[in-house]
Amino acid sequence: MTRKIFLHEKDIPKKWYNIAADLPTSLLPPLTPDGKPIGPEMLAPVFPMNLIEQEVSTERWIDIPEEILDILYQWRPAPLRRAERLERHLGTPAKIYYKDESTSPPGSHKPNTAIAQAWYNKQFGIERLTTETGAGQWGSALAFACKLVGLECKVFMVRISFDQKPFRKLMMQVWGANCVASPSPETNAGRAILEKMPDTPGSLGIAISEAIEQAVTDSSGKTRYSLGSVLNHVLLHQSIIGLEAKAQLKSVGEKLPDVVIGCAGGGSNFAGLAFPFTADKINGADMEIIPVEPTACPTLTRGPFAYDFGDTACTTPLLAMYTLGHAFVPPPIHAGGLRYHGMAPLVCQCVVEGLHTPRAIDQVECYEAALTWAKTEGFICAPETSHAIACAIQEANKAKEEGKEKVILFNYSGHGLMDLTGYDNFISGKLVPYALPDEELQKTEECLKDYPRAEKRKTGKW
Amino acid sequence: MTRKIFLHEKDIPKKWYNIAADLPTSLLPPLTPDGKPIGPEMLAPVFPMNLIEQEVSTERWIDIPEEILDILYQWRPAPLRRAERLERHLGTPAKIYYKDESTSPPGSHKPNTAIAQAWYNKQFGIERLTTETGAGQWGSALAFACKLVGLECKVFMVRISFDQKPFRKLMMQVWGANCVASPSPETNAGRAILEKMPDTPGSLGIAISEAIEQAVTDSSGKTRYSLGSVLNHVLLHQSIIGLEAKAQLKSVGEKLPDVVIGCAGGGSNFAGLAFPFTADKINGADMEIIPVEPTACPTLTRGPFAYDFGDTACTTPLLAMYTLGHAFVPPPIHAGGLRYHGMAPLVCQCVVEGLHTPRAIDQVECYEAALTWAKTEGFICAPETSHAIACAIQEANKAKEEGKEKVILFNYSGHGLMDLTGYDNFISGKLVPYALPDEELQKTEECLKDYPRAEKRKTGKW
């Protein structure tokens, strides 16, 4: 037995997998606020056309350009690992494998799409990318990508994180990005907020508005905006995770896993691992595929399937997805990431079809799982990743009860070295169990009432 | 070509290499402050006898117990990597390989010895280890090791770091260690200092005194002290780095490298990589082996070879080594690690023999190298590691001038994700070149004048 399963560089996937080609029911189209379908050209001020083409593509396989692979090789193929010491601790007959996405320079799966997006923008003649970041994972991934590809990078970082997480900001600066606190005096959106609320801690919604405004108002036409999750092309770029994992499992003689798990905020790390396996499930394989979300932000398990904006400020198209409403703000009691109100439409359609079976887990159970992980496997996981670990432990314990030698695979989306404050709160007893109260879902209904409900189209096969 | 060279777990070295067996001239013995040789039994209150046996052993190969390997497998064998993108950037004909020790859970080479020390202490019936930490690398490695081996861990962290680096402290707490600011009210040494200077920022010297005091005064006899560098048994445990690197170079068809490089503070990461290659140099191989130190703390390049204490508080035996004097404090202008006044006696003896050729590099050149690294290889290195990178770049540029396809190997001792403040100071222009002024070396002489000068014994073969 080996605990670290490597794939040779020459065996890295040369194409991304696009689940849109295999979905039993196609995605509902994005809409304008007044309910008209959005055409690709309407996205052109925000994204370069080559990425918009990927966004709407239904090709099954899309070539990964050699120049992108040249950068991905710095940490890819990423190791597949066997959590043997955790298995022993649990006394489970299950085999627990995890795909280790923490080995990238910024420490998460995010660079898989950041590198691709930066490269396609550069190909299109773009010189500068703007984005927003909350906790800083995405901002640092895009800063890294822009430095290696050769673009300027501007990151609007939610002020409270900017002040409380100076190390993330420093990471971005090491990679040459210009990181400013949002709201900033640099945009109309930012100035308007600052005038009314000079001491605001900021929000992701405001930061998105600032980043998009700077992209679309650059009169040179050389600036675009970049998003780190949710969109189809982002999930496409992340499919390399699952493609590698499949090859690695095969290399140690495993067939398809019985259970595939990933934490789900916007859905990109989960989908990256899960979609290549979902293709097998569509083709008849028996497999449980679980996106895990916090009970504090139960988008897939308790939200309605509806048309909603991707951002709090209502500047994006309306997307058909499970959502808690664009005005949803998880309570500060929730320490981890995974605070996004919506979810990638491709993941949502898989849930509608019954291909994916979402699960919500409380943050206290997640941090307990993270500490079990730290004392058995030795590594300190990201707060988001702890949700996947907690679910893997649930499944390993279930396998023990059932006496079944199941194969469990989960995505280790990132390390927690830059996010230790949540651990501190947990260890010092400040975190308590928290599930979203029912009355909060009334607010979701209120928030969504002016927009069309999305139709749940399903074949009923799963 | 491949950029990541893995060694299969079954090929991990099963024995540590002890250079004491091959040194052309044996080490000078440690002495008491009044000049008498120290016997192993005098160290027994501080270290367990099984580690003391390793400290004085001249056996060439020492078996690595299976239980230690079981933990090392979590990240070992560590990858050997080719810095191909840096080579391209430099336009050098040299091949630059680096051994990546940043992949351990605490992010550096330190756990190689922390795990071994914790395990041997536990075998000896010890239940609790004490140690000191400055920046936090060693403290977090020992916390990690104690958690996985099953020991209690108490870390005295220099107060200024305790206050300024809360994340390192949190890391230790995730692994269950009790980390207190030093000076603390828990020891006589700490209380005495606090009474005189309640607002002191602390020092490594004080922290060592506190850690040793707690170990030797525990009346149960179940507590010992642990040191992260300098000592022979620490360097022994680190030899796995060089042994793996040798096997990995061989696996890609390389013979011995032309240049071997490591940054040197106490000497353990440098020696870990260099000693297995030094064995070949002793046997006639032509190789340059370079310990790199900062010009702000030029122990090997400008310090005298003398008997000196290992700690500031003069509680350790006198060791024969290059030293700037136990009272030496590098100016705060120096941001990186590598601030130790002395150097591992085994490394010093190799320097005396001419087997190792030390080099001092200014921190500004080192941070420039670190930024070049971040934009080419993509990773953010530890400030200590930047010294090895700067030296590798010097050597690669030299190979370019000479038109020689040299093989350069260096030790990537750790990542810099927890140490970004130095980068901030550099990027914002606060760091300036600094070489220790000659008059400071007068203080060294003053500090050492009451202790015996060490005799430079050499064969003259190198």
Side-chain angles (χ1 to χ4, degrees), chain B residues 225-244:
Chain B
Y225 167 75
S226 176
L227 191 67
S229 191
V230 179
L231 298 179
N232 303 344
H233 67 275
V234 177
L235 276 53
L236 174 78
H237 302 151
Q238 295 293 358
S239 68
I240 195 167
I241 301 172
L243 295 170
E244 284 181 6

Side-chain angles (χ1 to χ4, degrees), chain A residues 63 68 91 100 106 121 141 163 172 253 298 305 320-321 344 358 367 460:
Chain A
D63 286 336
I68 291 178
D100 188 359
N121 271 283
D163 292 339
M172 296 181 226
F305 187 61
M321 59 184 177
Y367 272 108

Side-chain angles (χ1 to χ4, degrees), chain A residues 28 42-43 45 69 83 99 133 146 166 208 214 235 262 280 301 332 341:
Chain A
L28 289 168
M42 294 173 73
L43 298 170
L69 289 174
K99 184 69 176 165
T133 199
C146 286
I208 293 177
Q214 272 219 340
L235 275 53
D280 295 292
T301 48
H341 68 276

Side-chain angles (χ1 to χ4, degrees), chain A residues 2-4 6 9 70 73-74 76 81 85 88 105 167 170 175 374-375 377-378 417 420 424, chain B residues 2-4 6 9 70 73-74 76 81 85 88 105 147 167 170 175 374 377-378 415 420 424:
Chain A
T2 175
R3 288 188 211 164
K4 299 184 286 298
F6 296 108
E9 279 163 33
D70 181 57
Y73 284 138
Q74 287 302 107
R76 303 207 76 87
R81 305 181 55 132
R85 291 176 56 90
R88 261 189 261 163
F167 278 14
L170 290 177
W175 285 311
K375 80 175 180 191
E377 292 295 305
L417 299 185
L420 290 165
D424 191 27
Chain B
T2 177
R3 289 189 209 161
K4 300 183 286 298
F6 296 109
E9 279 163 32
D70 181 58
Y73 285 137
Q74 287 302 107
R76 303 209 75 87
R81 304 181 57 130
R85 292 177 56 89
R88 263 189 260 162
K147 175 50 82 178
F167 278 14
L170 290 177
W175 285 311
E377 292 295 306
H415 65 64
L420 289 164
D424 191 29

Side-chain angles (χ1 to χ4, degrees), chain A residues 1-4 6 8-9 70-71 73-77 81 85 88 103-105 144 147-148 167 170-171 173-175 371 374-380 415 417-421 423-424 427, chain B residues 1-4 6 8-9 70-71 73-77 81 85 88 103-105 144 147-148 167 170-171 173-175 371 374-380 415 417-421 423-424 427:
Chain A
M1 189 194 341
T2 175
R3 288 188 211 164
K4 299 184 286 298
F6 296 108
H8 196 279
E9 279 163 33
D70 181 57
I71 298 177
Y73 284 138
Q74 287 302 107
W75 73 98
R76 303 207 76 87
R81 305 181 55 132
R85 291 176 56 90
R88 261 189 261 163
T103 66
S104 71
F144 158 74
K147 176 51 84 179
L148 267 74
F167 278 14
L170 290 177
M171 258 181 119
Q173 288 172 347
V174 169
W175 285 311
L371 287 190
K375 80 175 180 191
T376 54
E377 292 295 305
F379 290 91
I380 296 177
H415 65 64
L417 299 185
M418 316 290 284
D419 303 280
L420 290 165
T421 315
Y423 281 91
D424 191 27
I427 293 169
Chain B
M1 190 196 338
T2 177
R3 289 189 209 161
K4 300 183 286 298
F6 296 109
H8 196 281
E9 279 163 32
D70 181 58
I71 299 177
Y73 285 137
Q74 287 302 107
W75 74 98
R76 303 209 75 87
R81 304 181 57 130
R85 292 177 56 89
R88 263 189 260 162
T103 67
S104 72
F144 159 73
K147 175 50 82 178
L148 267 75
F167 278 14
L170 290 177
M171 259 181 118
Q173 287 171 347
V174 169
W175 285 311
L371 287 190
K375 80 175 180 192
T376 55
E377 292 295 306
F379 290 90
I380 297 177
H415 65 64
L417 300 184
M418 317 289 285
D419 302 280
L420 289 164
T421 314
Y423 281 90
D424 191 29
I427 292 169

